[in-house]
Amino acid sequence: IPNHIVDSALTLAAIEGWRRITLRDIAAEAGLSLADLHAVHRSKGEILAAFVRRVDDAVLPEDDAELLDESPRDRLFDLVMRRLDAMAPHKEGVAAVVRDLSADPAWALCHARTFMRSMDWMLEVAGLAAGGCRGRVRAAGLGAVYLSTLRVWFMDDSPDMARTMASLDRQLRRVD
């Protein structure tokens, strides 16, 4: 049920926008009562956090030994592309969430911690420490690269995501 709720919320977000949908709308789309929804997720923020965790889980490899044979830049490239692949079924819904978060800085700030946690995990999987001052700077830099790449990805309708990959590669080279 939790994945179904997240999927329903993102489907509605693609149609109505994230800010416009309510918990009642999400429950109805998921075929649940409000009480059933409340038992799993108590807010739209929790639903969004569940989606981010699901994407994080998809990005984390079972065995990262193969990944560690690559350069740090190539590892980050692979991880960001895995992240985009995991989000692809809900691309329009994700775009609506990002658009609405961008328009509401207070709400975006509330979700910054979840976002930065994802960046920390991608750094750790890439073999780059995310702790301490240096790690914070790395995470912020990766976050900027990731958000910039998202903007390109939202507009990239090519089957091979060539524009997205080229943009990501260019940005990672610049910060390398």
Side-chain angles (χ1 to χ4, degrees):
I1 286 182
N3 281 335
H4 180 66
I5 293 168
V6 170
D7 294 341
S8 296
L10 290 169
T11 298
L12 285 174
I15 298 165
E16 302 290 333
W18 184 250
R19 284 188 297 180
R20 288 190 205 109
I21 61 172
T22 65
L23 290 169
R24 181 176 298 282
D25 297 333
I26 295 167
E29 179 72 17
L32 301 171
S33 69
L34 275 173
D36 291 337
L37 175 63
H38 184 267
V40 180
H41 297 295
R42 296 175 189 261
S43 69
K44 285 172 44 179
E46 281 189 20
I47 294 169
L48 186 56
F51 177 67
V52 171
R53 279 191 307 278
R54 187 166 86 185
V55 172
D56 287 344
D57 290 346
V59 169
L60 297 174
E62 291 288 324
D63 177 18
D64 60 356
E66 181 181 314
L67 189 67
L68 292 175
D69 289 340
E70 301 175 358
S71 71
R73 184 180 72 238
D74 288 344
R75 285 178 264 178
L76 288 172
F77 181 92
D78 289 346
L79 291 167
V80 170
M81 293 308 297
R82 283 184 198 178
R83 187 167 206 85
L84 297 177
D85 287 343
M87 293 188 308
H90 293 293
K91 187 175 186 177
E92 283 76 28
V94 172
V97 170
V98 170
R99 197 171 36 252
D100 286 352
L101 283 175
S102 299
D104 188 347
W107 208 75
L109 186 59
C110 291
H111 292 281
R113 184 182 210 179
T114 301
F115 173 76
M116 292 309 293
R117 193 174 306 126
S118 291
M119 298 302 103
D120 290 347
W121 271 107
M122 284 203 302
L123 287 170
E124 291 289 343
V125 171
L128 301 167
C133 187
R134 179 179 243 166
R136 293 289 77 212
V137 171
R138 279 186 182 139
L142 179 58
V145 166
Y146 177 72
L147 289 174
S148 182
T149 301
L150 270 183
R151 285 189 214 103
V152 175
W153 180 66
F154 290 145
M155 296 181 294
D156 189 352
D157 57 359
S158 65
D160 62 356
M161 293 196 297
R163 290 188 334 200
T164 301
M165 289 191 293
S167 175
L168 175 58
D169 185 57
R170 189 172 44 253
Q171 292 176 69
L172 287 172
R173 286 184 191 284
R174 189 174 56 219
V175 299
D176 191 16

Coordinates of all heavy atoms in Angstrom, one line a residue, residues 87-170:
M87 N 13.2 7.5 -11.2 CA 12.1 8.5 -11.1 C 11.3 8.6 -12.4 O 10.2 9.2 -12.5 CB 12.6 9.9 -10.8 CG 13.2 10.0 -9.4 SD 13.7 11.7 -8.9 CE 14.7 12.2 -10.2
A88 N 11.8 8.0 -13.5 CA 11.2 8.2 -14.8 C 9.8 7.9 -14.9 O 9.0 8.6 -15.6 CB 12.0 7.4 -15.9
P89 N 9.3 6.8 -14.3 CA 7.8 6.5 -14.4 C 6.9 7.7 -13.8 O 5.8 7.8 -14.2 CB 7.6 5.3 -13.5 CG 9.0 4.6 -13.5 CD 10.0 5.8 -13.5
H90 N 7.5 8.5 -13.0 CA 6.7 9.7 -12.4 C 7.4 11.0 -12.8 O 7.3 12.0 -12.0 CB 6.7 9.5 -10.9 CG 5.9 8.3 -10.5 ND1 4.5 8.2 -10.7 CD2 6.3 7.2 -9.9 CE1 4.1 7.1 -10.2 NE2 5.1 6.4 -9.8
K91 N 7.9 11.1 -14.0 CA 8.7 12.3 -14.4 C 7.8 13.6 -14.3 O 8.2 14.6 -13.8 CB 9.2 12.1 -15.8 CG 10.1 13.2 -16.3 CD 10.6 12.9 -17.7 CE 11.6 13.8 -18.2 NZ 12.2 13.4 -19.5
E92 N 6.6 13.5 -14.8 CA 5.7 14.7 -14.8 C 5.3 15.0 -13.3 O 5.2 16.2 -13.0 CB 4.4 14.5 -15.6 CG 4.7 14.6 -17.1 CD 5.4 13.4 -17.7 OE1 5.2 12.3 -17.2 OE2 6.1 13.6 -18.7
G93 N 5.0 14.0 -12.5 CA 4.7 14.3 -11.1 C 5.9 14.9 -10.4 O 5.7 15.8 -9.6
V94 N 7.1 14.4 -10.6 CA 8.3 14.9 -10.0 C 8.5 16.4 -10.5 O 8.8 17.2 -9.6 CB 9.5 14.1 -10.3 CG1 10.8 14.7 -9.8 CG2 9.4 12.7 -9.7
A95 N 8.3 16.6 -11.7 CA 8.4 18.0 -12.2 C 7.4 18.9 -11.5 O 7.8 20.1 -11.2 CB 8.2 18.0 -13.7
A96 N 6.2 18.5 -11.3 CA 5.2 19.3 -10.6 C 5.7 19.6 -9.2 O 5.5 20.7 -8.7 CB 3.9 18.6 -10.6
V97 N 6.2 18.5 -8.5 CA 6.7 18.7 -7.1 C 7.8 19.7 -7.1 O 7.8 20.7 -6.3 CB 7.1 17.4 -6.5 CG1 7.8 17.6 -5.2 CG2 5.9 16.5 -6.3
V98 N 8.8 19.6 -8.0 CA 9.9 20.5 -8.0 C 9.5 21.9 -8.3 O 9.9 22.9 -7.7 CB 11.0 20.0 -9.0 CG1 12.1 21.1 -9.2 CG2 11.6 18.7 -8.5
R99 N 8.6 22.1 -9.3 CA 8.0 23.4 -9.6 C 7.4 24.0 -8.4 O 7.6 25.2 -8.2 CB 7.1 23.2 -10.8 CG 6.7 24.4 -11.6 CD 5.9 24.1 -12.9 NE 5.0 23.1 -12.8 CZ 5.1 21.9 -13.4 NH1 6.2 21.6 -14.1 NH2 4.2 20.9 -13.3
D100 N 6.5 23.3 -7.8 CA 5.8 23.8 -6.6 C 6.7 24.1 -5.4 O 6.5 25.1 -4.7 CB 4.6 22.9 -6.2 CG 3.5 23.0 -7.2 OD1 3.5 23.9 -8.1 OD2 2.5 22.2 -7.1
L101 N 7.7 23.2 -5.2 CA 8.7 23.5 -4.1 C 9.5 24.8 -4.4 O 9.8 25.6 -3.5 CB 9.6 22.3 -4.0 CG 9.1 21.1 -3.2 CD1 10.2 20.0 -3.3 CD2 8.7 21.4 -1.8
S102 N 9.8 25.0 -5.7 CA 10.6 26.2 -6.1 C 9.8 27.4 -5.8 O 10.4 28.5 -5.6 CB 11.0 26.1 -7.6 OG 11.8 25.0 -7.8
A103 N 8.5 27.3 -5.9 CA 7.6 28.5 -5.7 C 7.3 28.8 -4.3 O 6.7 29.8 -3.9 CB 6.3 28.3 -6.5
D104 N 7.7 27.9 -3.4 CA 7.4 28.0 -2.0 C 8.7 27.7 -1.2 O 8.9 26.6 -0.7 CB 6.3 27.0 -1.6 CG 5.8 27.2 -0.1 OD1 6.5 27.9 0.6 OD2 4.8 26.6 0.2
P105 N 9.5 28.7 -1.0 CA 10.8 28.5 -0.3 C 10.7 27.9 1.1 O 11.5 27.1 1.5 CB 11.4 29.9 -0.3 CG 10.7 30.7 -1.3 CD 9.3 30.1 -1.4
A106 N 9.7 28.3 1.8 CA 9.5 27.7 3.2 C 9.3 26.2 3.1 O 9.9 25.5 3.9 CB 8.4 28.4 3.9
W107 N 8.4 25.8 2.2 CA 8.2 24.4 2.1 C 9.4 23.6 1.6 O 9.7 22.6 2.0 CB 7.0 24.2 1.1 CG 6.2 22.9 1.4 CD1 5.4 22.7 2.5 CD2 6.2 21.7 0.7 NE1 4.9 21.4 2.4 CE2 5.4 20.8 1.3 CE3 6.9 21.3 -0.5 CZ2 5.2 19.5 0.8 CZ3 6.7 20.0 -1.0 CH2 5.8 19.1 -0.3
A108 N 10.1 24.3 0.6 CA 11.4 23.7 0.1 C 12.4 23.5 1.2 O 13.1 22.5 1.3 CB 11.9 24.6 -1.0
L109 N 12.5 24.5 2.1 CA 13.4 24.4 3.2 C 13.1 23.3 4.1 O 14.0 22.6 4.6 CB 13.4 25.8 3.9 CG 14.4 25.9 5.0 CD1 15.9 25.8 4.5 CD2 14.3 27.3 5.7
C110 N 11.8 23.0 4.3 CA 11.4 21.9 5.1 C 11.8 20.6 4.6 O 12.1 19.6 5.3 CB 9.9 21.9 5.3 SG 9.2 23.3 6.3
H111 N 12.0 20.5 3.3 CA 12.4 19.2 2.6 C 13.8 19.2 2.2 O 14.3 18.2 1.7 CB 11.5 19.0 1.4 CG 10.1 18.7 1.8 ND1 9.7 17.5 2.3 CD2 9.0 19.5 1.9 CE1 8.4 17.5 2.6 NE2 8.0 18.7 2.4
A112 N 14.5 20.2 2.6 CA 16.0 20.3 2.2 C 16.8 19.2 2.9 O 17.7 18.6 2.3 CB 16.6 21.7 2.6
R113 N 16.4 18.8 4.1 CA 17.1 17.8 4.9 C 17.0 16.4 4.2 O 18.0 15.7 4.1 CB 16.5 17.7 6.3 CG 17.2 16.8 7.2 CD 16.5 16.8 8.5 NE 17.5 16.4 9.5 CZ 17.2 16.4 10.8 NH1 15.9 16.7 11.2 NH2 18.0 16.1 11.7
T114 N 15.8 16.1 3.7 CA 15.6 14.9 3.0 C 16.4 14.8 1.7 O 17.1 13.8 1.4 CB 14.1 14.7 2.7 OG1 13.3 14.7 3.9 CG2 13.8 13.4 1.9
F115 N 16.4 16.0 1.0 CA 17.2 16.1 -0.2 C 18.7 15.9 0.0 O 19.4 15.2 -0.7 CB 16.9 17.4 -0.9 CG 17.8 17.7 -2.1 CD1 17.5 17.1 -3.3 CD2 18.8 18.6 -2.0 CE1 18.3 17.4 -4.4 CE2 19.6 18.9 -3.1 CZ 19.4 18.3 -4.3
M116 N 19.2 16.6 1.0 CA 20.6 16.5 1.4 C 21.0 15.1 1.8 O 22.1 14.7 1.6 CB 21.0 17.6 2.4 CG 20.9 19.0 1.8 SD 21.8 19.2 0.2 CE 23.5 19.0 0.7
R117 N 20.1 14.5 2.5 CA 20.4 13.1 2.9 C 20.6 12.2 1.7 O 21.5 11.3 1.7 CB 19.3 12.6 3.8 CG 19.6 11.3 4.5 CD 18.5 10.8 5.5 NE 18.1 11.9 6.4 CZ 16.9 12.3 6.6 NH1 15.9 11.8 5.9 NH2 16.6 13.3 7.5
S118 N 19.8 12.4 0.7 CA 20.0 11.7 -0.6 C 21.3 12.0 -1.2 O 22.0 11.1 -1.7 CB 18.9 12.0 -1.6 OG 17.7 11.5 -1.1
M119 N 21.7 13.2 -1.2 CA 23.0 13.6 -1.8 C 24.1 13.0 -1.0 O 25.1 12.5 -1.5 CB 23.2 15.1 -1.8 CG 22.2 15.9 -2.7 SD 22.1 15.4 -4.4 CE 20.7 14.4 -4.5
D120 N 24.0 12.9 0.3 CA 25.0 12.3 1.2 C 25.2 10.8 0.8 O 26.3 10.3 0.7 CB 24.6 12.4 2.7 CG 24.7 13.8 3.3 OD1 25.3 14.7 2.6 OD2 24.2 14.0 4.4
W121 N 24.0 10.1 0.6 CA 24.1 8.7 0.3 C 24.8 8.5 -1.1 O 25.5 7.6 -1.2 CB 22.7 8.1 0.3 CG 22.4 7.6 1.7 CD1 21.5 8.1 2.6 CD2 22.9 6.4 2.3 NE1 21.5 7.4 3.7 CE2 22.3 6.3 3.6 CE3 23.9 5.5 2.0 CZ2 22.6 5.3 4.5 CZ3 24.2 4.5 2.9 CH2 23.6 4.4 4.1
M122 N 24.5 9.4 -2.0 CA 25.1 9.2 -3.3 C 26.6 9.4 -3.2 O 27.4 8.7 -3.8 CB 24.5 10.1 -4.4 CG 23.1 9.7 -4.8 SD 22.6 10.3 -6.5 CE 22.6 12.0 -6.2
L123 N 27.0 10.4 -2.4 CA 28.5 10.5 -2.2 C 29.1 9.3 -1.6 O 30.1 8.9 -2.0 CB 28.7 11.8 -1.4 CG 28.5 13.1 -2.0 CD1 28.6 14.3 -1.0 CD2 29.5 13.4 -3.1
E124 N 28.5 8.8 -0.5 CA 29.0 7.6 0.2 C 29.1 6.4 -0.8 O 30.1 5.7 -0.8 CB 28.1 7.3 1.4 CG 28.3 8.3 2.5 CD 29.6 8.3 3.2 OE1 30.4 7.3 3.1 OE2 29.9 9.3 3.9
V125 N 28.0 6.2 -1.6 CA 28.1 5.1 -2.5 C 29.2 5.3 -3.5 O 29.8 4.3 -4.0 CB 26.7 4.9 -3.2 CG1 26.8 3.9 -4.3 CG2 25.6 4.5 -2.2
A126 N 29.4 6.5 -3.9 CA 30.5 6.8 -4.9 C 31.9 6.8 -4.2 O 32.9 6.9 -4.9 CB 30.3 8.2 -5.5
G127 N 31.9 6.5 -2.9 CA 33.2 6.4 -2.3 C 33.8 7.7 -1.8 O 35.0 7.8 -1.6
L128 N 32.9 8.7 -1.8 CA 33.4 10.1 -1.3 C 32.7 10.4 0.0 O 31.5 10.3 0.1 CB 32.9 11.1 -2.4 CG 33.5 10.9 -3.8 CD1 32.8 11.8 -4.8 CD2 35.0 11.2 -3.8
A129 N 33.5 10.7 1.0 CA 33.0 11.0 2.3 C 32.0 12.2 2.3 O 32.3 13.2 1.7 CB 34.1 11.3 3.3
A130 N 30.9 12.0 3.0 CA 29.9 13.0 3.1 C 29.9 13.7 4.4 O 29.1 14.7 4.6 CB 28.5 12.4 2.8
G131 N 30.7 13.3 5.3 CA 30.8 13.9 6.7 C 31.7 15.1 6.8 O 32.6 15.3 5.9
G132 N 31.6 15.9 7.8 CA 32.4 17.0 8.1 C 32.2 18.2 7.1 O 31.3 18.1 6.3
C133 N 33.0 19.2 7.3 CA 32.9 20.4 6.5 C 33.1 20.1 5.0 O 32.3 20.5 4.1 CB 33.9 21.4 6.9 SG 33.7 23.0 6.2
R134 N 34.1 19.3 4.7 CA 34.4 19.0 3.3 C 33.2 18.2 2.7 O 32.8 18.4 1.5 CB 35.7 18.1 3.2 CG 36.0 17.7 1.8 CD 37.3 16.9 1.8 NE 38.2 17.7 1.0 CZ 39.5 17.5 0.9 NH1 40.0 16.6 1.6 NH2 40.2 18.3 0.1
G135 N 32.6 17.3 3.4 CA 31.5 16.5 3.0 C 30.3 17.4 2.7 O 29.5 17.2 1.8
R136 N 30.1 18.4 3.6 CA 28.9 19.3 3.4 C 29.1 20.1 2.1 O 28.1 20.3 1.4 CB 28.8 20.3 4.6 CG 28.5 19.7 5.9 CD 27.0 19.3 6.0 NE 26.9 18.0 5.4 CZ 25.8 17.5 4.8 NH1 24.7 18.2 4.7 NH2 25.8 16.4 4.1
V137 N 30.3 20.5 1.8 CA 30.6 21.2 0.6 C 30.3 20.3 -0.6 O 29.7 20.7 -1.6 CB 32.0 21.8 0.6 CG1 32.4 22.4 -0.8 CG2 32.1 22.9 1.7
R138 N 30.8 19.1 -0.5 CA 30.6 18.1 -1.6 C 29.1 17.9 -1.8 O 28.6 17.8 -3.0 CB 31.2 16.8 -1.3 CG 32.7 16.7 -1.5 CD 33.1 15.2 -1.2 NE 34.6 15.1 -1.4 CZ 35.4 14.4 -0.7 NH1 34.9 13.8 0.4 NH2 36.7 14.4 -0.9
A139 N 28.4 17.7 -0.8 CA 26.9 17.4 -0.9 C 26.2 18.6 -1.5 O 25.3 18.4 -2.3 CB 26.3 17.1 0.5
A140 N 26.6 19.8 -1.1 CA 26.0 21.0 -1.7 C 26.3 21.1 -3.2 O 25.4 21.4 -4.0 CB 26.4 22.2 -0.9
G141 N 27.5 20.8 -3.5 CA 27.9 20.9 -4.9 C 27.2 19.8 -5.7 O 26.7 20.1 -6.8
L142 N 27.1 18.6 -5.2 CA 26.3 17.5 -5.9 C 24.9 17.9 -6.0 O 24.2 17.7 -7.0 CB 26.5 16.2 -5.2 CG 25.7 15.0 -5.8 CD1 26.2 14.8 -7.2 CD2 26.0 13.8 -4.9
G143 N 24.3 18.5 -4.9 CA 22.9 19.0 -5.0 C 22.7 20.0 -6.1 O 21.7 19.9 -6.8
A144 N 23.6 20.9 -6.3 CA 23.5 21.9 -7.3 C 23.6 21.3 -8.7 O 22.8 21.6 -9.6 CB 24.6 23.0 -7.2
V145 N 24.5 20.3 -8.9 CA 24.6 19.6 -10.1 C 23.3 18.8 -10.4 O 22.8 18.8 -11.5 CB 25.9 18.7 -10.1 CG1 25.8 17.7 -11.3 CG2 27.1 19.5 -10.2
Y146 N 22.8 18.1 -9.4 CA 21.7 17.3 -9.5 C 20.4 18.2 -9.9 O 19.7 17.8 -10.8 CB 21.4 16.5 -8.2 CG 20.2 15.7 -8.3 CD1 20.1 14.6 -9.0 CD2 19.1 16.1 -7.5 CE1 18.9 13.8 -9.0 CE2 17.9 15.3 -7.5 CZ 17.9 14.2 -8.3 OH 16.7 13.4 -8.3
L147 N 20.2 19.3 -9.2 CA 19.1 20.1 -9.5 C 19.1 20.7 -10.9 O 18.1 20.8 -11.6 CB 18.9 21.2 -8.5 CG 18.5 20.7 -7.1 CD1 18.5 21.9 -6.1 CD2 17.1 20.1 -7.1
S148 N 20.3 21.1 -11.3 CA 20.5 21.6 -12.7 C 20.2 20.5 -13.7 O 19.6 20.8 -14.7 CB 21.9 22.2 -12.8 OG 22.1 22.7 -14.1
T149 N 20.7 19.3 -13.4 CA 20.4 18.2 -14.3 C 19.0 17.9 -14.4 O 18.4 17.5 -15.5 CB 21.2 17.0 -13.8 OG1 22.6 17.3 -13.8 CG2 21.0 15.8 -14.8
L150 N 18.3 18.0 -13.3 CA 16.8 17.8 -13.3 C 16.1 18.7 -14.3 O 15.2 18.3 -15.0 CB 16.2 18.0 -11.9 CG 16.2 16.8 -10.9 CD1 15.5 17.2 -9.6 CD2 15.5 15.6 -11.5
R151 N 16.5 19.9 -14.3 CA 15.9 20.9 -15.2 C 16.0 20.5 -16.6 O 15.1 20.6 -17.4 CB 16.5 22.3 -15.0 CG 16.0 23.0 -13.7 CD 16.4 24.4 -13.7 NE 16.7 24.8 -12.3 CZ 17.9 24.9 -11.8 NH1 19.0 24.7 -12.5 NH2 18.0 25.1 -10.5
V152 N 17.2 19.9 -17.0 CA 17.4 19.5 -18.4 C 16.6 18.2 -18.6 O 15.9 18.0 -19.6 CB 18.9 19.2 -18.6 CG1 19.1 18.6 -20.0 CG2 19.7 20.5 -18.5
W153 N 16.6 17.3 -17.6 CA 15.9 16.0 -17.7 C 14.4 16.2 -17.9 O 13.7 15.5 -18.7 CB 16.1 15.2 -16.5 CG 15.5 13.8 -16.4 CD1 15.7 12.8 -17.2 CD2 14.5 13.4 -15.5 NE1 14.9 11.7 -16.8 CE2 14.1 12.1 -15.8 CE3 13.8 14.0 -14.4 CZ2 13.2 11.4 -15.1 CZ3 12.9 13.3 -13.7 CH2 12.6 12.0 -14.0
F154 N 13.8 17.2 -17.2 CA 12.4 17.5 -17.4 C 12.0 17.8 -18.8 O 10.9 17.5 -19.3 CB 11.9 18.6 -16.5 CG 11.9 18.3 -15.0 CD1 12.3 19.2 -14.1 CD2 11.6 17.0 -14.5 CE1 12.3 19.0 -12.7 CE2 11.6 16.7 -13.2 CZ 12.0 17.7 -12.3
M155 N 12.9 18.4 -19.6 CA 12.6 18.9 -20.9 C 13.2 17.9 -22.0 O 12.9 18.0 -23.1 CB 13.3 20.2 -21.2 CG 12.6 21.3 -20.3 SD 13.3 22.9 -20.6 CE 15.0 22.8 -20.1
D156 N 13.9 16.9 -21.5 CA 14.6 15.9 -22.4 C 13.6 14.8 -22.7 O 13.3 13.9 -21.9 CB 15.9 15.4 -21.8 CG 16.7 14.5 -22.7 OD1 16.2 14.2 -23.9 OD2 17.8 14.2 -22.4
D157 N 13.1 14.8 -23.9 CA 12.1 13.7 -24.3 C 12.7 12.7 -25.2 O 12.0 11.8 -25.8 CB 10.8 14.3 -24.9 CG 11.2 15.2 -26.2 OD1 12.3 15.3 -26.5 OD2 10.2 15.7 -26.8
S158 N 14.0 12.7 -25.3 CA 14.7 11.7 -26.2 C 14.8 10.4 -25.5 O 14.9 10.3 -24.2 CB 16.1 12.2 -26.5 OG 16.9 12.2 -25.3
P159 N 14.7 9.3 -26.2 CA 14.7 7.9 -25.6 C 16.0 7.6 -24.9 O 16.0 6.9 -23.9 CB 14.4 7.0 -26.7 CG 14.6 7.7 -28.0 CD 14.5 9.2 -27.7
D160 N 17.1 8.2 -25.4 CA 18.4 7.9 -24.8 C 18.9 8.9 -23.8 O 20.0 8.8 -23.2 CB 19.5 7.7 -25.9 CG 19.7 9.0 -26.7 OD1 19.0 10.0 -26.5 OD2 20.6 8.9 -27.6
M161 N 18.1 9.9 -23.5 CA 18.4 11.0 -22.6 C 19.8 11.7 -22.9 O 20.5 12.0 -22.0 CB 18.4 10.5 -21.1 CG 17.0 10.1 -20.7 SD 16.8 10.0 -18.9 CE 17.9 8.7 -18.5
A162 N 20.1 11.8 -24.1 CA 21.4 12.4 -24.6 C 21.6 13.8 -24.0 O 22.7 14.0 -23.5 CB 21.5 12.4 -26.1
R163 N 20.6 14.6 -24.1 CA 20.8 16.0 -23.5 C 21.1 16.0 -22.0 O 21.9 16.7 -21.5 CB 19.6 16.9 -23.9 CG 19.5 17.2 -25.3 CD 18.5 18.2 -25.6 NE 17.4 18.3 -24.6 CZ 16.2 18.8 -24.8 NH1 15.9 19.3 -25.9 NH2 15.3 18.7 -23.9
T164 N 20.4 15.1 -21.3 CA 20.5 15.0 -19.9 C 21.9 14.5 -19.6 O 22.6 15.1 -18.7 CB 19.5 14.1 -19.3 OG1 18.2 14.6 -19.6 CG2 19.6 13.9 -17.8
M165 N 22.3 13.5 -20.2 CA 23.7 12.9 -20.0 C 24.8 13.9 -20.3 O 25.8 14.0 -19.6 CB 23.9 11.6 -20.7 CG 23.0 10.5 -20.1 SD 23.4 8.8 -20.8 CE 22.9 9.0 -22.5
A166 N 24.6 14.6 -21.4 CA 25.6 15.6 -21.8 C 25.7 16.7 -20.8 O 26.8 17.2 -20.4 CB 25.3 16.2 -23.2
S167 N 24.6 17.2 -20.3 CA 24.6 18.3 -19.3 C 25.2 17.8 -18.0 O 26.0 18.5 -17.4 CB 23.1 18.7 -19.1 OG 23.1 19.7 -18.0
L168 N 24.8 16.6 -17.6 CA 25.4 16.1 -16.3 C 26.9 15.9 -16.4 O 27.6 16.3 -15.5 CB 24.7 14.7 -16.0 CG 25.3 14.0 -14.8 CD1 25.2 14.8 -13.5 CD2 24.5 12.6 -14.6
D169 N 27.3 15.3 -17.5 CA 28.8 15.1 -17.7 C 29.5 16.5 -17.7 O 30.6 16.6 -17.1 CB 29.0 14.4 -19.1 CG 30.5 14.1 -19.3 OD1 31.1 13.4 -18.4 OD2 31.1 14.5 -20.3
R170 N 29.0 17.5 -18.4 CA 29.6 18.8 -18.4 C 29.7 19.4 -17.0 O 30.7 19.9 -16.6 CB 28.8 19.7 -19.4 CG 29.4 21.0 -19.7 CD 28.6 21.8 -20.8 NE 27.1 21.7 -20.6 CZ 26.3 21.0 -21.4 NH1 26.8 20.2 -22.4 NH2 25.0 21.0 -21.2

